[in-house]
Amino acid sequence: GRAGDPPAITTLLTLLRASDPELRSAAAEALGIAGLLGSDVRAAEPALLAAWPSASPSEQRTLATALGRIGSAAALPALTRALAPTAAPDLREAAALALGVLGRRKIALDPSARAALLALADAPAPALALAAAYALAQEHAPADRAPADPALARLPRPPDPAPRPGAVARPASPQ
């Protein structure tokens, strides 16, 4: 069938339960893309969430991205747990970005997801802090922006760019 049609989605859902972790990751990624492109993937979210507990951190990164693209508020608990300080940094980053994508899709954060993102915004690793900032900035209809605004203001600013060698001012030409 065609990518995104019901038989293809059914096949991808089956592959989420495959014994090969690369197949499972590829299926999760394909489901997220199919949903992003408008295919009916309503059955995918429960399957992605069911795959989460037994998935490796690498697979969870892929699942997080797919959940950001097609998930609902039901994905918040898994994504919030992935923000824990004990989780791998790249999983934490993917989960924060997925929460930001959910916000762009008008899915509100719950209080525990928001608190975890506020804590992550203070992470010493710039990639983690920026992923948290993205999610907080994309938050849909926050009840109170006050806690997020200082977290966003604390983010490191990029240094001023160094002058390029060819950008030195030339003397004015004689007239």
Side-chain angles (χ1 to χ4, degrees):
R2 296 177 50 113
D5 69 4
I9 298 301
T10 300
T11 299
L12 291 171
L13 291 170
T14 300
L15 290 174
L16 276 178
R17 296 185 306 273
S19 60
D20 182 348
E22 288 184 28
L23 275 177
R24 292 191 304 262
S25 286
E29 185 173 7
L31 285 164
I33 292 169
L36 191 64
L37 295 174
S39 296
D40 182 4
V41 291
R42 286 177 282 188
E45 184 181 30
L48 293 168
L49 290 170
W52 188 282
S54 61
S56 70
S58 173
E59 289 175 88
Q60 287 178 341
R61 281 193 314 272
T62 305
L63 291 168
T65 300
L67 287 167
R69 291 174 173 166
I70 65 174
S72 67
L76 293 174
L79 294 172
T80 301
R81 284 190 303 275
L83 298 175
T86 55
D90 50 352
L91 174 57
R92 296 174 79 196
E93 181 182 1
L97 292 172
L99 288 167
V101 173
L102 287 175
R104 285 185 56 91
R105 293 181 46 239
K106 309 228 181 299
I107 296 168
L109 296 174
D110 62 21
S112 59
R114 192 165 207 259
L117 287 167
L118 287 168
L120 190 62
D122 285 330
L128 295 179
L130 290 171
Y134 170 77
L136 291 166
Q138 300 303 319
E139 184 176 7
H140 177 67
D144 180 13
R145 282 223 54 91
D149 289 341
L152 295 173
R154 286 192 304 272
L155 287 172
R157 302 281 182 244
D160 289 333
R164 293 175 293 177
V168 177
R170 296 178 190 208
S173 59
Q175 298 179 348

